[in-house]
Each structure stands twice: as C-alpha cells, then as structure tokens.
Amino acid sequence: MSMSLIQVIGASFGYEAQEIFQNLHFQVEKGEIFCLLGPNGCGKTTLLDCILGVRRLNSGKILLDGQELNSFRSGQIARYIAYVPQSHERTFPYTVMDIVKMGRAAYTGRFSAPSKLDKAIAREALEMVGLIHLRHRPYTQLSGGEAQLVMVARALAQKTPIIIMDEPTAHLDFKHELEVLETMVELVNDSQIAIIMATHFPNHAFYFENKKLPTRVALMHDHNFLELGRPSEVIGEENMKTLYRVNTRLISCATGERNELKQLVPISTIS
Amino acid sequence: MGITKKKIIYLLLIIAPLLCIFVSLFIGRYPLSIDEVIYILWCKMLQLPCEVLDIKQTIVWDIRLPRAILGALVGGCLAISGAAFQGLFRNPLVSSGILGVSSGAGFGAALAIVMFSAVSSATYIFAFVFGTLAVLLSYLIGKVYDTTPTIMLVLGGVIVSSVFSALISLLKYVADPYQQLPAIVFWLMGSLATARYSDIVAAGLPMMVGIAGLLAIRWRINVLSMGDKEAHTLGVNLAVDKGLVIISATLATAAAVSVSGIIGWVGLVIPHICRMLVGNDNRVLIPASLSMGACFLILVDDLGRVITGSEMPLGILTALVGGPFFVWLLKKTKGGNW
C-alpha cells in the first residue's frame, strides 16, 4: 500500500477559551486538489498552519509520507510542502527573480546563497507560471494577479510534492482569478503536484472537477467536517444553507461536447 | 556581463573605504604633501627609520590613521547592522539602534563617567556591556511563548530604549555639572577624536565578528524579510537565524558605539542610500552598506576637521551632512524603485 502524502488523524486545535476544530480525519493523495470550504473564521487557515508546522495540534497527529510532522525540522517540511500565502505584504522591492530564488532556501546552507542550479530551477518555475519576462522587475510594481503568480512560482521552486494555497485568488480581478486557477490545473496535470487550497468559492471546486482533475472538497462547519467528497456530491443547495446560511441554485452550462461546468448561484441570505 | 559587473561592484566596495582612509591622512590643520605621507606610511609599515619631522610622523601614523580606521569600522558597523535590522524587521524605518543598543551603551558610558569621574577605559567597557544587555532585555521582553514575533521584539526595543534614556537623564541630573555632565553630553554626541590603536584592537574584535556574521548570513536576511510565517514555510529555522542576525548586529553596534559614542543617522540612511544604488538584494546590499557606511563616516569626520577649528561632535555632522545628501540622491534617482 502506498503512503498518502498527508494523513491527518484525529486532529484537534483550540485556544484556551475557544475550540477551533476537533477530531478531523482526512488524507491527501498525489496529484489531487483538496479544497477546504467554509465561512470566515471556521478554522481553514488554522488547519493549514498546523499542516505547515506553524502551529501545533492540541491532540491528534499529522503524518507526512507516513512520518510524524513533529519529527520534521522546518527545512525538511519546506522540501515537502510549499506555501502560497493569502496576502503577501510587499515590503522591499526585490526583483521577481530574487523572490522566486527564495524558494530554494531549504536547499541552501545558512551561510551560502542560491547556486547556478537553484537559479535555473527558479527560471523554470517562472516559465511555468508564464512570468519569465518580468524576472528583472521589482515585484512591488506588479499587479495583484502577477504578484500572486510570483508566489506560486516561488512555491514551485521549492520542488515539493504538495503546495498549500490559502485563498490564492483573494483580491484578484475576474481574469487574474481565472489565470491562477488555470495555472493550478497545469501544475497538477504536468507535475502531479497535490494542492491543498482554502477557498471561499464553491465554484472553484466545480472548475477543477470540470477540468477532470481528481478533486475533493471538505466542508468545514461547527468545528468539524460537515461532508468530505467529490464536488458534485457535496456542494449542493442544502449544504450551502447549512454552511453559509445562503439560498443557492445549482445550475450547469455546457462548455464543450459531453462536458458541462456546474455553478452555484447565490440567491439570498437566510436571516 | 552580469559576472563582470558584479566583480566591478565588489572591487569598488573594497577600494572606496581604503581610498577614503588615504585621503583623510591629508586632511587637517597641519598640511602634508603626498610624498611625505606615502614616505611615512612606507617606513612605518616596514619599521624603517623615518627621516621626517617627528611631529609629522605622529600626525600621520598616530593621529590621522587610527582615527580614519576607527571611523571606517564604526561607520561600517552602524550601516551594516542597520541594513540587517531593516531586513529582519521588514521595516525600512528601523536603524541599528532598534533593540536599544545605543541607549543601553549611552547609559553604560554615563554610569562609568559618574562613577569614575572622567572618561576612561571603563567607559568603553560599561558602554559595551550595557549596550549588549539592553538588546538581551529587549529579546527577553519580546519572547512570548517559545517564539519571538518581530513586532514583540520591536516593542521590547522601544521599551528598553525609553527606560535607558530615562536612566541617562537621571544620571545627567545627578552628575557633577562642571566635569561629569559635559563629559556625558559630549560622549553622547559621538566623536572619533580620541581614537588610538588600542581602541581599534579592543573594539575591533567584536566588530569584526559581527561584520563577518552578517556578511555570512546575508542571503538568509532576504528570506527572513518575508516575515516569520513565510520564512518558516521556506525552510528557515527562525530561532537560530534571527538569533544569529541579532547577535552579529549587536556585537558590531555595541562595539562601535562604545568607542565612538552615539552617532545617529548612519545606521538608518546609509542602507537606504545603498538600496537606491545597488538594489534591495541583501547579498549586495549588506556589503555595500558596510563599505558606504565606512566611507561616509570617514568623510564626515574629515569635514568636521576642516570646517571647524574645534572638534565638532560627529553625531551633529552626520545628520547635517547626511540629510541634504539623502534628499539630493532621492531627487536624482527618483528613489530608484524605492
């Protein structure tokens, strides 16, 4: 039996006065997209932080490739899981290339700098997201969508089997959102990377399903998973009522021969 | 092209401070010719008998040279630490004194002056010890749970700085107003006038260790400047790497402040000037700040010797010269991408 990339077993986390999630079980397999869906404050980011080793579970365990996460050093985790932040505060105007090269930190000694090989890997990552022409530009001058793709390229440069993305399309406009999603599809198709993604948009999961990617959705609700399964199985009008207290209508439109894209249309909130 | 350009930049960074040191041997009220200076340097270095007036030998070898070397070290240390801290704290307004090292050292010096009634070697030692202690205190205050979030470190630095500033005021208040108070005030304003080789030897070791540490870890500062969470997910051991940067910068700054007094401005603005000139990649920025800080302080000190007969405190001049220069450069480069 092959090991799952990530196995989460009975994971619980909470602060002293407040429980965030309790007894979660799931695993993430190679080449799949795992979407975390749930309202603001339901603990999506906290769960991701635990998987990244930024926070520690109160109880339960997380296995990376069968080994307990707590036994990994940060450098080892960074060679296994890369992270694309939700919003990245751009302080210093580093060039795009400088940013992507930072993805090689886990492979670079404390007292050295990225090698020629690292630079080549960073170039390749920029080519994959289609931004190689911007490599000498200060990343503070890029649009929000381009900057997000630079973060994706930095994660790719880490050469990990898993990338975690926390609401990767937040703050992006109509087109840039789609660009990021398209890039994600290419990554999973071309490199068999697994992506764990927190998102606010149920339609993202439908988008990946429509692209024939192995996609699963976990609905986070009331400290636990309301449901976990294929987008078509778990994203529906009833579950959206429970999850968001929103009335929705599920529609479907043809996007080609024998291929249709499901979409959830929000109608009204339930007071 | 990239390789040769890089080599040229590094070569310039090494040559520039040496050139500044050399130039400053001619500057002062006692005029010397090029031949004389080179001859004195030559025979002193090879320990040959010098056939020049003793006073000239003393001026070049025992006064101007150590002063220039110390200026280079102090300026370099302040600027390199400032650049490192700006990256570490992800804040361009941070300077080398952010964790309280300057006010700690100032307190140490003032305490020594009050206790021993004059500036002595105890002043240096006290300044260094209290400067280091102040940073340690800031670090302990910033340490919540097992981690040291950047914002808490800054807060720790602010608290420690203001406490030590208050203590400095207290010492000024109780100091003898005819001897000790002027000594404290003058010390706090910064000066290289008393530079001797013994100062260079004593303070040089921690300075060199600090500089070497920052030069070695400089690419990691790029990664640290992504913030704690991202740096962690990029594979950085935050406790170790942050600790190394803080220790190195503290050694360099505390040693610099203890021999020169408090010289503001260099640790804040020199890194910015370098950002405009060479960009923000710490691989180049850190050595550039070292070199530029060294040049800047030597030249400002030279200027001080030329424009006033008496010794104008360096802390005043650095700001008076640096401010307009910074504005000029800002206009000229339109801020670079900055």
Side-chain angles (χ1 to χ4, degrees), chain A residues 55-94:
Chain A
R55 292 173 195 277
R56 280 187 174 220
L57 293 177
N58 291 5
S59 64
K61 54 186 171 179
I62 296 170
L63 306 182
L64 304 183
D65 198 24
Q67 279 189 62
E68 183 110 34
L69 173 70
N70 290 342
S71 68
F72 284 73
R73 282 179 284 116
S74 51
Q76 293 173 304
I77 299 176
R79 287 190 287 259
Y80 199 74
I81 308 175
Y83 169 68
V84 176
Q86 180 181 127
S87 59
H88 172 91
E89 192 193 334
R90 294 181 259 177
T91 320
F92 296 107
Y94 292 113

Side-chain angles (χ1 to χ4, degrees), chain A residues 149-222:
Chain A
L149 286 175
V150 172
M151 291 293 119
V152 173
R154 189 183 71 183
L156 285 175
Q158 282 179 252
K159 291 275 179 199
T160 55
I162 307 164
I163 297 181
I164 285 184
M165 301 190 182
D166 193 356
E167 293 174 32
T169 65
H171 321 300
L172 297 191
D173 71 21
F174 203 52
K175 182 188 172 193
H176 286 127
E177 174 179 3
L178 204 55
E179 257 175 17
V180 171
L181 295 182
E182 282 172 351
T183 308
M184 290 169 71
V185 172
E186 271 173 48
L187 294 184
V188 176
N189 275 333
D190 298 349
S191 332
Q192 284 295 295
I193 286 175
I195 295 177
I196 305 177
M197 157 191 201
T199 177
H200 280 303
F201 305 102
N203 290 336
H204 284 170
F206 284 136
Y207 176 85
F208 295 126
E209 193 176 46
N210 175 258
K211 296 290 177 187
K212 310 284 185 239
L213 298 185
T215 309
R216 284 190 302 149
V217 185
L219 306 181
M220 273 189 102
H221 175 71
D222 203 14

Side-chain angles (χ1 to χ4, degrees), chain B residues 282-316:
Chain B
N282 283 288
R283 256 186 313 167
V284 192
L285 176 68
I286 291 287
S289 299
L290 175 68
S291 170
M292 185 104 184
C295 295
F296 178 76
L297 203 61
I298 298 171
L299 295 179
V300 169
D301 189 43
D302 287 347
L303 193 68
R305 297 207 303 253
V306 172
I307 57 173
T308 60
S310 62
E311 291 288 343
M312 169 88 83
L314 259 182
I316 298 174

Side-chain angles (χ1 to χ4, degrees), chain A residues 65-135:
Chain A
D65 198 24
Q67 279 189 62
E68 183 110 34
L69 173 70
N70 290 342
S71 68
F72 284 73
R73 282 179 284 116
S74 51
Q76 293 173 304
I77 299 176
R79 287 190 287 259
Y80 199 74
I81 308 175
Y83 169 68
V84 176
Q86 180 181 127
S87 59
H88 172 91
E89 192 193 334
R90 294 181 259 177
T91 320
F92 296 107
Y94 292 113
T95 66
V96 168
M97 194 63 185
D98 283 337
I99 292 287
V100 179
K101 275 196 274 184
M102 291 184 204
R104 302 302 296 165
Y107 302 88
T108 307
R110 175 170 289 128
F111 300 122
S112 46
S115 64
K116 281 212 174 89
L117 175 68
D118 293 319
K119 202 175 166 187
I121 290 170
R123 278 187 72 105
E124 199 185 314
L126 272 173
E127 269 160 16
M128 278 178 89
V129 301
L131 291 186
I132 190 74
H133 59 291
L134 297 179
R135 65 188 177 282

Side-chain angles (χ1 to χ4, degrees), chain B residues 267-286:
Chain B
L268 173 68
V269 170
I270 296 299
H272 280 287
I273 291 174
C274 293
R275 285 177 201 283
M276 290 181 212
L277 296 174
V278 302
N280 284 274
D281 182 355
N282 283 288
R283 256 186 313 167
V284 192
L285 176 68
I286 291 287

Side-chain angles (χ1 to χ4, degrees), chain B residues 207-218:
Chain B
M207 284 180 180
M208 287 305 195
V209 171
I211 289 173
L214 292 177
L215 284 176
I217 207 168
R218 64 192 195 274

Side-chain angles (χ1 to χ4, degrees), chain A residues 45 49 52-54 74-75 77-78 81 83 85 87-89 91-94 98-99 101-106 108-114 138-139 141 151 154 158, chain B residues 3 86-92 213 216-223 225-226 229-230 232-238 240-241 244 272 275 280-283 336-338:
Chain A
T45 300
D49 282 354
L52 286 164
V54 175
S74 51
I77 299 176
I81 308 175
Y83 169 68
S87 59
H88 172 91
E89 192 193 334
T91 320
F92 296 107
Y94 292 113
D98 283 337
I99 292 287
K101 275 196 274 184
M102 291 184 204
R104 302 302 296 165
T108 307
R110 175 170 289 128
F111 300 122
S112 46
Y139 86 133
Q141 288 178 4
M151 291 293 119
R154 189 183 71 183
Q158 282 179 252
Chain B
I3 297 294
Q86 287 174 2
L88 184 68
F89 293 109
R90 321 178 61 196
N91 186 340
I217 207 168
R218 64 192 195 274
W219 185 70
R220 272 289 156 108
I221 298 173
N222 279 1
V223 187
S225 76
M226 295 288 101
K229 182 170 171 182
E230 284 183 38
H232 171 90
T233 63
L234 288 167
V236 167
N237 184 331
L238 288 175
V240 174
D241 288 7
L244 281 173
H272 280 287
R275 285 177 201 283
N280 284 274
D281 182 355
N282 283 288
R283 256 186 313 167
N337 298 308
W338 187 224

